[in-house]
Every structure is written in structure tokens, then in C-alpha cells.
Amino acid sequence: MVYVWTRQMYLRDRVAAVSNRVAEVTNGEPLEVLEHGRRFYRVKTSKNETGWIPERAVIDADTYNAFVQLATQYKNSPIVAQGTLRDDIYAHVSPGRNTDRFYLLAGNAKVQMLVRASVAKNAPAPAVAHPEPPKPAAPVAKEPANADKDDEAKSDAADEPKPEPEAPALEDWWLVRDSQGRVGWVLGSRVDVDVPDDVAQYAEGQRIVGAYVIARVHDDEANTPNHQVAEYVTALAPPKSGLPYDFDQIRVFTWSVKRHRYETAFRIHPIQGFLPVRIGSVADAKGTDPTFSFQISASQDVAIDPNTGIARPAHPRTITYAMRDTSVRRIGPDMAPIPILHEPGDKDKSKSAKSAKGRKHR
């Protein structure tokens, strides 16, 4: 069996410069191989139509099974966010522009976002060995008078540290699942996280990577079904790819019944957080309160899968908060301090500010 990965393709009655169309096949359609020619297959469709199709327009059974295994592997994975595809895009079997692709997902389709990964944007070109031509014998010449100085200059140049090669540019990919249950990796810049506009306007230049309903309040003046307004826990990240964590900020938006708008009830920033953000509840003597939890790394060590580019905390900690009305408090067995993540330059900047303040007092 082979499977069509192109958007559509026509089967031909023969492999020749002039041929006739006998059937049309579309993305994802299985075909039975009857004959294998040079760069072409003679195939049969489920409607018993037969014809020739280019080998480049289909994937083989091994690649198809890899997509099936991918869906099985992440069958029970939690959904970290809901998203919308910007336009038609192919789902890949692994992150990367040069990996095998199969399913064609339609633009504006809703997808479930499962896992984020970061890989190099452009894979390095394979090295090609070129035989060196034989070098002519160098003529014997007398050493110049300043030969010792030249040797010293060469030695000093050799001792100078060589600049480190620049790290490759990284781009984010998301493992997504569509309404048909098809699973694959898509480029992160081609999918938008679903966030209500009333909440998205408070992003302040950051990317909202997840928005989760934690509670609902009643507002008679709200233009929502049954006048119920959702309150959200959001996870935000800097607007750049290749970060070794999923988000660096958690922000809780509650609804003000008095002002009829969203307000920030809680914020923690900057941290090194990892998806998913889980919503739950906890019971106490006063009733039941909604909760949210997420993972951070107990150290700066992050384990990055070399095959997929998925980042995981090497020593994960689960942090949990409970909310009552507009008050958010920390709960759970892990009450140790949360390490604050400083971006490069932040620490130096804070030191400079303290130093300037000290000079002023002196």
C-alpha cells in the first residue's frame, strides 16, 4: 500500500509524454500497488480505478505507520492549548521542514496543541569531499633576515582564541491533533492559540501560549450566555523561538463585576515553566476552590530530546495555587521558593542600578 500526500493527483493510463487521465486521488487516500515501474507506481483505488502515479506523490507504508504510531504515542497526552491554523499546512512526522509529511490540514481548522519542540531552521548541507590537486614542489629559498620575527607573529596568532561558531537559528513546532484524530507536527508560526480578545489585549507584547478557564462569575450587564463570564489562567512567553522552557509568566485574570472588565488578580514572572497548566479543585472548611498547577525546573538543567527537540525539566517540581474570589494563594506539598529566571543582561542591569544607588548615598 501507498498513500497520497499531495493535495490531489491524477492517475494516468500509461507512463508517456502523452497520456490520459483515468482517475483523481486526493490527500490521505490509500492506494494498492499493482506494479512498480521506474519512478512510477501502477495503483488501484478503493473504487477499483487503476492507473499510474508518480512515486514522489505518495508515501510508503513505513512512513504511514510512523504517523499511526505517533497518534498512538500521544493518544492520552493532555491538551495544552486550543489553536487555529492560519492556512493550509502539511503535518510532519517529526519537527523540521525536511521531514516526511502526509496529512494536509485545512486553514482555519481548529486543532488541539499537545507538545512544543524547537529545532534548527535550516539543516546544514552535507559536506562534499573534493580531491585536492597535487601541490607543486616549492622552490628552496633562503630564510629572510626577519624569519624569527615572522615565526613569533605566527605563534602569537595561533595562540589567539578562535571565535565560537554561531548557534543555528531555531524555530518552534507544535504537535497537533485535528477533529479527525490526525496527529502531526506543524510549524509554530502557522498556528494561533485561541484566546478571547478581551484577554489577549493584555498580552503586553508577550505570546499567550495557553488560556484556561478556572472559574465563572455572574454579571447582569455582561453580553455573554446567561451573563456568565469566564475567568482565566494564562501562560505567556517572550515572542521568540527556541526557548528552553514553554513560558516564563503565569497571569490570572478575574472579572470585575463593578467595572465590567478583566483585571489581574495574580502574576508570577519571570519563571521557567513547562506545559501543561492543569485546572482542578480543592475542598476545605469554607467550600471548594478552583486550583491551577504547572511544572518548573528545580535547577537550570533542562533535558532536550536530541531527536525531537522537546524540552523537559531535568528535575521537575509541581507548583499549585488555589483561587477564592479574586484572591490567589499557594497550596500543596511543594512550598519551597520558586527560582526567578533572569534573562541575559537583567542581572547586570540590576547590579548597575544598585551600584548607582550606593554611589548616590555615599
Side-chain angles (χ1 to χ4, degrees):
M1 300 295 294
V2 293
Y3 304 82
V4 181
W5 74 263
T6 56
R7 183 185 299 270
Q8 64 178 25
M9 181 63 64
Y10 290 103
L11 302 185
R12 302 280 178 167
D13 61 350
R14 59 184 178 275
V15 179
V18 179
S19 59
N20 299 314
R21 298 176 179 177
V22 295
E24 180 182 4
V25 293
T26 56
N27 177 258
E29 190 170 342
L31 304 172
E32 180 184 353
V33 177
L34 304 177
E35 184 179 350
H36 191 184
R38 185 180 179 184
R39 299 192 301 275
F40 284 84
Y41 290 112
R42 192 167 74 88
V43 296
K44 182 172 68 173
T45 69
S46 58
K47 299 177 182 179
N48 290 325
E49 300 165 318
T50 61
W52 292 89
I53 190 172
E55 190 180 58
R56 58 177 173 78
V58 298
I59 61 172
D60 58 20
D62 289 340
T63 304
Y64 174 79
N65 290 333
F67 277 92
V68 174
Q69 293 174 5
L70 188 67
T72 302
Q73 178 183 353
Y74 289 94
K75 180 179 180 179
N76 298 320
S77 295
I79 301 169
V80 302
Q82 301 282 350
T84 304
L85 299 178
R86 293 188 176 184
D87 46 23
D88 295 357
I89 187 172
Y90 281 101
H92 291 241
V93 72
S94 58
R97 297 177 181 242
N98 297 322
T99 59
D100 290 325
R101 52 186 177 175
F102 180 32
Y103 303 119
L104 180 61
L105 308 181
N108 295 320
K110 298 292 184 180
V111 293
Q112 299 171 344
M113 305 171 70
L114 306 177
V115 183
R116 181 191 68 94
S118 299
V119 297
K121 184 175 182 179
N122 296 313
V128 180
H130 296 284
E132 296 183 0
K135 298 180 180 179
V140 179
K142 295 181 178 180
E143 293 186 0
N146 58 352
D148 293 340
K149 295 182 179 180
D150 292 342
D151 292 341
E152 291 178 1
K154 292 179 181 179
S155 177
D156 293 341
D159 293 338
E160 293 181 0
K162 296 181 179 180
E164 295 183 359
E166 294 184 2
L170 299 178
E171 59 185 3
D172 288 345
W173 288 71
W174 276 96
L175 184 67
V176 301
R177 178 169 52 226
D178 70 355
S179 60
Q180 302 179 41
R182 300 179 298 183
V183 176
W185 292 90
V186 299
L187 194 59
S189 60
R190 307 281 286 278
V191 57
D192 296 318
V193 176
D194 291 342
V195 183
D197 292 339
D198 290 343
V199 173
Q201 65 179 338
Y202 297 108
E204 298 176 350
Q206 302 296 294
R207 286 187 301 124
I208 298 180
V209 298
Y212 314 92
V213 177
I214 188 172
R216 296 182 185 275
V217 296
H218 183 84
D219 184 351
D220 289 331
E221 298 185 20
N223 187 22
T224 54
N226 299 322
H227 303 289
Q228 296 290 314
V229 183
E231 297 181 317
Y232 291 90
V233 177
T234 60
L236 301 94
K240 55 184 177 182
S241 300
L243 295 172
Y245 49 84
D246 292 326
F247 58 88
D248 71 344
Q249 179 178 172
I250 287 290
R251 191 172 178 182
V252 178
F253 291 97
T254 56
W255 182 259
S256 172
V257 178
K258 181 179 179 180
R259 299 180 178 88
H260 311 293
R261 69 183 187 190
Y262 281 106
E263 295 180 348
T264 300
F266 173 81
R267 174 190 282 183
I268 181 170
H269 169 75
I271 60 175
Q272 185 168 279
F274 296 86
L275 296 168
V277 174
R278 300 180 184 273
I279 304 298
S281 63
V282 62
D284 58 19
K286 296 182 179 181
T288 302
D289 296 330
T291 64
F292 64 92
S293 61
F294 54 90
Q295 283 193 338
I296 64 170
S297 180
S299 67
Q300 295 295 327
D301 297 331
V302 176
I304 299 180
D305 190 317
N307 297 321
T308 62
I310 299 174
R312 301 290 190 191
H315 306 285
R317 294 172 53 193
T318 300
I319 308 300
T320 306
Y321 289 88
M323 188 178 81
R324 173 165 294 174
D325 297 328
T326 60
S327 177
V328 177
R329 69 187 189 279
R330 188 170 169 189
I331 63 172
D334 188 340
M335 298 296 289
I338 298 176
I340 299 300
L341 172 68
H342 288 283
E343 293 291 340
D346 287 353
K347 191 174 181 180
D348 297 337
K349 185 177 180 181
S350 62
K351 284 184 176 179
S352 300
K354 290 181 180 179
S355 178
K357 185 176 180 181
R359 288 197 301 270
K360 183 177 180 181
H361 285 297
R362 288 197 298 268

